[in-house]
């Protein structure tokens, strides 16, 4: 049985594993959760206790990287039973094929969004502090004066988005476009 932290799914997997006397393998892409204060801290504590229970029942663990591995170790997982399988990837062929079809053309999506930049940097991911998107913005601020036709598209959402948008306003990074979540099918067309 493979279960993530999607709570109803995890509970069903645990019950199934216990009733069938089978082993449970935990898949987790979670990084470290940093608790806040007050009620949020209490909720985070309850969630962490629940996660510790799931971790204790699992016989093995599959994670996409070191951050998720460290999280499981903090929750009590045996490091020897954690297997890193980098599965957060994309099909580069789709992007290459779409680029070949549209070579020399302005993307309809870019046109619809009013993006004037000739060359684009594309970031796709969750907007959380550990991803370091603020460093990308700082690097873009350095590159932009040297490359006037450069733009940055940020696809994704998360709790750090408003901080990043404010950073762009403060630094007058007008060629940074936050698109929010975008359907995977539309990504190659950017």
């Amino acid at each position: 049985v493979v279960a993530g932290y999607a709570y109803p799914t995890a509970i069903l997997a645990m019950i199934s594993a216990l009733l069938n006397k089978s082993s449970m393998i935990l898949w987790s892409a979670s990084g470290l959760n940093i608790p806040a204060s007050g009620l949020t801290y209490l909720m985070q504590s309850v969630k962490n206790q629940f996660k510790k229970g799931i971790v204790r029942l699992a016989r093995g663990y599959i994670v996409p990287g070191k951050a998720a591995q460290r999280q499981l170790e903090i929750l009590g997982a045996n490091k020897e039973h954690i297997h890193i399988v980098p599965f957060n990837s994309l099909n580069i062929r789709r992007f290459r094929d779409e680029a070949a079809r549209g070579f020399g053309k302005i993307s309809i999506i870019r046109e619809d969004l009013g993006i004037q930049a000739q060359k684009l940097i594309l970031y796709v991911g969750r907007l959380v502090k550990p991803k370091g998107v603020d460093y990308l913005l700082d690097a873009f601020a350095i590159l932009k004066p040297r490359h006037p036709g450069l733009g940055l598209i940020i696809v994704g959402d998360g709790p750090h988005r408003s901080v990043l948008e404010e950073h762009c306003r403060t630094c007058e990074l007008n060629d940074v476009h936050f698109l929010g979540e975008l359907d995977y099918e539309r990504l190659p067309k950017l």
Side-chain angles (χ1 to χ4, degrees), residues 28 108 117 142 160 162 178 184:
S28 174
I108 293 171
I142 293 167
H160 203 55
S162 60
F178 289 84
Y184 184 72

Side-chain angles (χ1 to χ4, degrees), residues 90 95 110 115 119-125 133 136 140 150-156 177 179-180 182 186-190:
L90 61 102
F95 284 80
R110 285 190 202 183
I115 297 172
K119 293 186 179 181
L120 290 170
I121 298 170
L122 174 65
Y123 169 85
V124 180
V133 179
L136 174 61
F140 181 75
L150 188 62
L152 172 60
I153 294 179
I154 297 179
V155 176
H177 305 274
L179 303 187
L182 193 63
R186 294 183 71 192
L187 282 177
K189 292 176 174 45
L190 287 173

Side-chain angles (χ1 to χ4, degrees), residues 33-176:
N33 293 319
I34 301 169
S37 60
L39 184 58
T40 306
Y41 178 80
L42 178 63
M43 295 296 288
Q44 189 65 45
S45 296
V46 170
K47 281 173 65 175
N48 283 338
Q49 289 304 314
F50 182 75
K51 287 180 180 182
K52 284 180 182 179
I54 295 172
V55 168
R56 276 195 304 273
L57 287 172
R59 298 277 186 253
Y61 315 90
I62 301 170
V63 296
K66 298 235 180 251
Q69 178 184 7
R70 282 191 301 274
Q71 173 68 9
L72 283 174
E73 289 172 13
I74 288 169
L75 294 171
N78 181 337
K79 186 175 184 174
E80 293 175 14
H81 297 145
I82 301 173
H83 304 279
I84 296 176
V85 179
F87 50 82
N88 290 347
S89 61
L90 61 102
N91 181 351
I92 293 176
R93 185 178 302 149
R94 285 190 62 233
F95 284 80
R96 185 186 60 222
D97 293 348
E98 189 66 39
R101 279 193 295 277
F103 186 74
K105 300 177 188 172
I106 299 292
S107 160
I108 293 171
I109 294 175
R110 285 190 202 183
E111 202 172 275
D112 288 347
L113 296 170
I115 297 172
Q116 302 296 317
Q118 297 164 349
K119 293 186 179 181
L120 290 170
I121 298 170
L122 174 65
Y123 169 85
V124 180
R126 285 192 62 222
L127 301 181
V128 292
K129 189 159 180 58
K131 297 279 187 178
V133 179
D134 47 340
Y135 297 119
L136 174 61
L137 293 175
D138 292 340
F140 181 75
I142 293 167
L143 286 172
K144 183 62 182 166
R146 298 178 195 163
H147 305 277
L150 188 62
L152 172 60
I153 294 179
I154 297 179
V155 176
D157 214 341
H160 203 55
R161 179 176 176 167
S162 60
V163 173
L164 298 170
E165 288 174 327
E166 180 59 33
H167 184 75
C168 288
R169 281 189 291 277
T170 303
C171 296
E172 297 181 6
L173 298 175
N174 301 322
D175 287 323
V176 177

